Amino acid sequence: MILSCKNIKKSFGIDEILTNVTFHLNQYDKVALVGINGAGKTTLFRIITKELTADEGRITLYQNASLGYLSQEQDLVSAHSIYEECETVFEDVIKTETQLREIESRMNELNGEALEQLMLTYSELQHQFESMNGYGYKSQITGVLKGLGFTVEELGKAINTLSGGQKSRVCLAKLLLRQPEVLLLDEPTNHLDIEAVTWLEEYLRNYKGTLLIISHDRYFLDKIVSKVIEIENKKSEVYSGNYSFYAKQKAINRDIQYKHYLEQQRDIKQQEAVIAKLRSFSREKSIKRAKSREKALDKVELLEKPTHINDEMRLVFQPKKVSGNDVLFAENLSKSYDHQLFDNVDLDIKRGDKIALIGANGIGKTTLFKIIMKHVPVDTGQITYGSRVQIGYYDQEHDSLSEDKTIFEELSDTYPKMTNGEIRNTLAAFLFTGEDVFKSILSLSGGEKGRVSLSKIMLSEANFLLMDEPTNHLDITSREVLENALSQYEGTLFFISHDRYFINKVATKVFELTPEKLIAYLGNYNDYVEKKEQLQKLKEKEVSLESISETSDSKQDWLKRKEYQAQTRKLQNLLESCEKDIHALEEAITSIDEALCLEENYTDPDKAGELHSNKIQQESLLEEKYLKWEEIQEKISELDN
């Protein structure tokens, strides 16, 4: 055991935050701390780090273990560059290195016993320097900073010129370089793109210490943790397993608890009815029996009613009109500011698509959305919008919200035909009740602004949603509600997100934006990763075979490489052709479904029968194409092996 929390209680005024939090962490444990926004997770972290004092209970850090804490809010003030700031972690190493250089410069000045004594000191210091990773700390700094998304060119940037997100990444880098024995991380994936988060996952999985992590990134938690501590109703409960296991087990536990609660309530009502009946007899014996039953009932330990999450949004996206099958088509889009963001971007978005747009931070994803919205001009290329397309835009910065208005005014001014009651009902569905509706937009947290923006986009009844980081600032429960709503949405969705769990649940396609082009992948995030790995293996194999041909004059090696490349190209062409056929058949089936909905067709038995027969034929062909696609994938896998 390295850290224990026992019966922790904390209140702010009359507001109880934590009433009975008890758990312990063993050495090398990797643990998630979860709970709804406001459950007290960050408060508990601040108690563990002694920034706050618990009202009751005890925190014990065993063996004088070193403790590191990354808070959500970082106000790093420094005159250093990024690299220099990270060097401060290694002050002792640098001091030792300076001493070694000084001794080296003095060696030529001494001889005899004095030199021997100096050499002994030098040997001891050199051994100490090696044990402190003196020869590797510089590359360690560069590796961590690059892993967290900084380029080599950015390492010389002054801290005081950085954004808040960049400063948070520097603080995280310093903490990882310091390597405390117990590491508390509060939303460490904020401000990281997917590539950096993936790097951080691998780093933390191999971390030689104990981790306690607050994060809304469920994919991230699944990759790292083997235990989950939940804070709910001011108390803690511990689950063994990753986040997905916790979510399933919690649902099972809640059902069992609710069943026991209902059974006890039924028994209590039965006993109360018997007691009332006995008293109604007004006889001494019956009254004694009634009192005896009352005493027994008073001794029963009442079960608390399991509280279903009380901050669950009620969210439904429903388009008012159905758009045409072609929603948006773009060719050769490019955009530059002081440098090239992206070039040669083509888009072909169909009705019903649910597309995740991913790419490195700063690549221009938000800019691409603003170009689609006509908020920013494009340098080259053109965009064609489909018929009856009505766009709803969720902006991660919430610039569409007027900070001088109240929440109520924001909705009433945007939708003037809504009654006061309708506005209040809508806001209640987004957890704004009572006097909360009169809060100013300026005073709201990021999560609250997100909920206001979601309420507006829901009321818009748009059939094409552009959503830029819609899960930012939302707790896990709200993210799950949003996932369900968007999964059931019958319109078209194009969204930017770093939340891979969210992408897996919602996306049917993944578009990766690079400086040179946009690459489309069928499926969700896991499918994207699998396809990328396949392509990487093919690339590595080609490079390997080319290397063999360069170092060997063997005609057999050369022929083998050529044969492999030919087979690879053939299979890739077949795969692309098959995917195009699948797409065409899916469109054909969609068109038939639309035709079947027309009155002129469904009222005509002959036409309806012909369309239905055609649909069955197309679906049969589609099934054959799916099987063909799987066969080609298997052949590619066999070729790789």
Side-chain angles (χ1 to χ4, degrees):
M1 187 186 300
I2 196 166
L3 174 69
S4 72
C5 297
K6 189 171 183 180
N7 298 325
I8 301 301
K9 295 185 179 181
K10 183 64 182 177
S11 299
F12 294 105
I14 61 171
D15 294 329
E16 279 190 327
I17 306 300
L18 306 169
T19 59
N20 183 20
V21 173
T22 298
F23 62 88
H24 71 267
L25 303 182
N26 293 319
Q27 200 170 15
Y28 311 124
D29 273 352
K30 292 178 173 59
V31 184
L33 183 65
V34 303
I36 62 173
N37 284 348
K41 303 184 295 296
T42 298
T43 297
L44 180 59
F45 267 23
R46 294 179 67 194
I47 291 171
I48 294 172
T49 58
K50 299 183 180 178
E51 287 185 24
L52 292 175
T53 304
D55 299 335
E56 293 183 30
R58 185 171 71 252
I59 303 284
T60 306
L61 192 62
Y62 295 90
Q63 303 168 359
N64 295 317
S66 56
L67 184 70
Y69 172 41
L70 179 77
S71 66
Q72 284 193 56
E73 302 299 327
Q74 297 288 343
D75 188 19
L76 181 61
V77 179
S78 172
H80 292 139
S81 69
I82 293 173
Y83 187 88
E84 290 168 343
E85 185 63 26
C86 289
E87 276 189 317
T88 62
V89 173
F90 299 96
E91 285 179 349
D92 290 343
V93 182
I94 294 169
K95 184 179 178 181
T96 302
E97 186 175 22
T98 302
Q99 289 175 315
L100 286 170
R101 300 293 84 82
E102 289 173 353
I103 290 173
E104 287 170 359
S105 67
R106 291 170 54 200
M107 283 181 179
N108 293 330
E109 302 170 4
L110 301 174
N111 53 47
E113 188 177 337
L115 180 58
E116 286 181 13
Q117 186 61 45
L118 190 64
M119 290 294 290
L120 182 61
T121 302
Y122 183 83
S123 178
E124 290 173 353
L125 275 176
Q126 192 173 41
H127 179 72
Q128 182 181 339
F129 185 67
E130 288 176 358
S131 67
M132 299 164 76
N133 192 31
Y135 294 107
Y137 79 92
K138 291 182 179 179
S139 61
Q140 189 181 353
I141 291 172
T142 303
V144 168
L145 288 171
K146 287 175 69 177
L148 293 176
F150 290 107
T151 63
V152 174
E153 293 75 23
E154 289 175 321
L155 301 189
K157 276 189 173 182
I159 295 294
N160 58 14
T161 66
L162 302 182
S163 66
Q166 289 172 317
K167 287 181 179 179
S168 291
R169 283 191 280 150
V170 173
C171 290
L172 177 56
K174 288 177 65 180
L175 202 54
L176 297 180
L177 290 166
R178 188 156 65 84
Q179 297 184 329
E181 292 164 283
V182 180
L183 188 53
L184 308 183
L185 300 175
D186 193 348
E187 295 294 352
T189 61
N190 283 358
H191 315 294
L192 300 182
D193 59 24
I194 288 178
E195 188 175 349
V197 173
T198 304
W199 177 89
L200 182 61
E201 279 171 1
E202 190 62 25
Y203 187 96
L204 293 179
R205 284 170 64 185
N206 297 310
Y207 188 73
K208 301 293 191 291
T210 303
L211 299 177
L212 185 57
I213 306 170
I214 298 171
S215 180
H216 292 146
D217 189 332
R218 295 153 293 174
Y219 197 101
F220 178 75
L221 294 179
D222 268 350
K223 289 283 186 179
I224 296 170
V225 307
S226 56
K227 184 189 294 184
V228 175
I229 300 168
E230 181 192 45
I231 307 293
E232 185 178 49
N233 295 326
K234 307 161 192 172
K235 300 175 184 177
S236 63
E237 185 157 355
V238 180
Y239 295 80
S240 294
N242 63 9
Y243 178 82
S244 292
F245 174 83
Y246 147 77
K248 291 175 184 176
Q249 192 60 45
K250 178 178 171 59
I252 293 169
N253 290 353
R254 190 184 291 279
D255 288 343
I256 292 171
Q257 290 167 3
Y258 191 60
K259 182 180 178 182
H260 288 168
Y261 169 79
L262 290 176
E263 288 175 351
Q264 187 184 65
Q265 289 297 306
R266 186 170 60 249
D267 291 342
I268 289 170
K269 286 181 180 179
Q270 288 175 349
Q271 288 297 324
E272 287 174 344
V274 171
I275 290 167
K277 191 68 174 176
L278 287 170
R279 285 191 173 278
S280 70
F281 294 148
S282 299
R283 293 182 180 179
E284 186 178 349
K285 284 186 177 181
S286 65
I287 289 172
K288 281 183 179 180
R289 290 173 68 184
K291 287 181 178 179
S292 176
R293 284 177 177 267
E294 283 176 339
K295 286 180 181 179
L297 195 57
D298 289 340
K299 292 178 182 178
V300 171
E301 186 175 345
L302 295 178
L303 299 175
E304 289 185 20
K305 182 179 180 180
T307 54
H308 291 277
I309 299 301
N310 57 5
D311 76 337
E312 191 169 298
M313 295 186 300
R314 297 184 296 282
L315 184 57
V316 177
F317 294 108
Q318 187 62 48
K320 190 173 184 179
K321 297 177 182 177
V322 177
S323 71
N325 189 54
D326 296 314
V327 173
L328 184 142
F329 182 78
E331 284 184 300
N332 196 32
L333 301 182
S334 69
K335 186 65 185 177
S336 299
Y337 287 106
D338 55 341
H339 66 284
Q340 181 82 44
L341 286 179
F342 53 79
D343 191 18
N344 194 32
V345 168
D346 296 335
L347 294 169
D348 187 8
I349 299 176
K350 303 296 185 183
R351 185 180 68 243
D353 279 347
K354 292 183 171 65
I355 304 167
L357 179 65
I358 64 173
N361 283 347
I363 202 71
K365 301 185 294 295
T366 297
T367 301
L368 179 59
F369 270 30
K370 289 180 178 179
I371 288 170
I372 293 172
M373 290 296 299
K374 301 180 182 178
H375 294 169
V376 170
V378 69
D379 292 348
T380 65
Q382 59 182 13
I383 299 175
T384 304
Y385 301 87
S387 63
R388 301 186 302 279
V389 170
Q390 182 183 350
I391 299 177
Y393 181 40
Y394 179 95
D395 172 15
Q396 67 165 315
E397 300 299 331
H398 310 299
D399 290 337
S400 63
L401 302 180
S402 302
E403 293 190 338
D404 58 339
K405 294 180 181 179
T406 65
I407 300 172
F408 188 92
E409 289 169 344
E410 184 69 33
L411 259 67
S412 62
D413 289 351
T414 307
Y415 301 102
K417 292 183 179 180
M418 290 182 69
T419 66
N420 289 356
E422 288 171 337
I423 292 172
R424 275 193 168 275
N425 287 338
T426 299
L427 290 174
F430 287 85
L431 316 178
F432 297 111
T433 57
E435 294 300 308
D436 286 345
V437 301
F438 300 117
K439 284 182 178 179
S440 70
I441 299 295
L442 182 62
S443 69
L444 301 182
S445 67
E448 289 171 325
K449 286 180 179 178
R451 285 189 271 128
V452 175
S453 294
L454 284 173
S455 70
K456 289 179 67 178
I457 201 171
M458 184 185 80
L459 291 170
S460 73
E461 299 179 330
N463 54 32
F464 181 30
L465 299 183
L466 292 176
M467 306 187 83
D468 190 352
E469 296 289 1
T471 62
N472 273 7
H473 307 295
L474 294 182
D475 60 29
I476 288 175
T477 302
S478 298
R479 290 181 185 211
E480 289 172 349
V481 172
L482 182 59
E483 282 167 4
N484 291 333
L486 291 176
S487 295
Q488 296 170 28
Y489 176 57
E490 294 177 358
T492 307
L493 174 65
F494 193 20
F495 67 96
I496 299 167
S497 182
H498 292 142
D499 187 336
R500 294 158 297 167
Y501 201 100
F502 180 78
I503 296 172
N504 264 345
K505 290 287 186 179
V506 177
T508 57
K509 294 179 182 177
V510 174
F511 286 179
E512 182 180 21
L513 185 61
T514 72
E516 296 81 23
K517 59 182 177 179
L518 184 140
I519 308 167
Y521 298 86
L522 287 174
N524 60 14
Y525 183 79
N526 284 346
D527 297 321
Y528 155 78
V529 170
E530 184 179 348
K531 189 67 178 287
K532 287 273 284 187
E533 288 175 351
Q534 287 179 356
L535 293 173
Q536 183 62 27
K537 284 180 181 178
L538 286 172
K539 187 176 179 181
E540 289 172 359
K541 205 155 190 175
E542 284 188 0
V543 169
S544 176
L545 288 169
E546 285 174 6
S547 176
I548 290 170
S549 70
E550 289 172 3
T551 57
S552 172
D553 294 329
S554 168
K555 186 176 181 180
Q556 186 177 356
D557 289 340
W558 184 84
L559 290 171
K560 184 178 179 182
R561 175 171 63 89
K562 287 297 182 183
E563 182 184 356
Y564 170 79
Q565 290 175 338
Q567 289 179 359
T568 300
R569 282 194 297 270
K570 182 179 178 182
L571 288 172
Q572 285 297 326
N573 290 336
L574 285 172
L575 192 68
E576 289 176 8
S577 175
C578 192
E579 287 176 353
K580 287 180 181 178
D581 290 343
I582 287 171
H583 188 65
L585 286 166
E586 287 175 339
E587 285 188 348
I589 292 168
T590 300
S591 298
I592 294 170
D593 285 336
E594 290 174 357
L596 284 167
C597 293
L598 297 175
E599 186 178 356
E600 63 196 55
N601 291 329
Y602 68 70
T603 56
D604 185 333
D606 292 335
K607 284 186 178 179
E610 184 181 344
L611 286 168
H612 184 68
S613 177
N614 190 15
K615 181 182 177 181
I616 291 172
Q617 184 181 1
Q618 297 296 320
E619 286 175 340
S620 177
L621 289 172
L622 182 60
E623 183 63 29
E624 290 176 8
K625 287 295 179 182
Y626 279 139
L627 291 172
K628 184 68 175 176
W629 187 87
E630 290 175 3
E631 287 175 8
I632 297 169
Q633 286 283 19
E634 287 176 6
K635 287 179 181 178
I636 291 174
S637 298
E638 288 171 3
L639 192 61
D640 289 343
N641 296 327

